[in-house]
Amino acid sequence: MGLITIRGQVASQPLVITNEQYALVILMVKTDEGCKEIYSQYCIPSIGRCFAKKFVKTKFSSIALSAIGDSIEASIWSDTGEIYHFVNETQNRA
């Protein structure tokens, strides 16, 4: 288990799955080695006034608002594909 860095283009619209406690965002990235499926999971805070502030301008929103063709760079855990760090170079979002 270690971190690896991948660079590539978003190959599919991000998929966001939610339940009462978690949100999961999955992204397909086309790299020189082929397509890789990467993901990030977030704990959803209890709903209140600050609910939106928990997601706006975060790693979650940067991944979820990525579009097909965007150039990205991500550090992921090699054994799971879970995203540790994510940068959307096309949208200048980290």
Side-chain angles (χ1 to χ4, degrees):
M1 179 170 139
L3 284 175
I4 60 172
T5 299
I6 63 169
R7 294 178 60 89
Q9 290 187 316
V10 176
S12 69
Q13 288 298 112
L15 172 64
V16 178
I17 302 168
T18 61
N19 68 16
E20 289 122 16
Q21 297 177 336
Y22 293 96
L24 175 73
V25 60
I26 303 170
L27 193 62
M28 183 70 70
V29 180
K30 183 179 178 185
T31 68
D32 291 339
E33 294 83 35
C35 287
K36 295 193 183 300
E37 188 174 89
I38 61 176
Y39 76 94
S40 195
Q41 180 174 296
Y42 299 89
C43 181
I44 297 175
S46 59
I47 294 177
R49 284 184 164 182
C50 298
F51 181 74
K53 291 181 184 178
K54 304 277 186 196
F55 292 102
V56 174
K57 295 184 181 180
T58 64
K59 181 172 67 171
F60 180 87
S61 68
S62 182
I63 299 166
L65 294 173
S66 294
I68 294 172
D70 284 357
S71 294
I72 65 103
E73 179 178 304
S75 295
I76 62 171
W77 295 106
S78 60
D79 59 338
T80 63
E82 183 175 7
I83 299 167
Y84 177 76
H85 181 71
F86 183 87
V87 176
N88 186 319
E89 295 169 342
T90 301
Q91 297 180 16
N92 296 320
R93 295 178 60 124

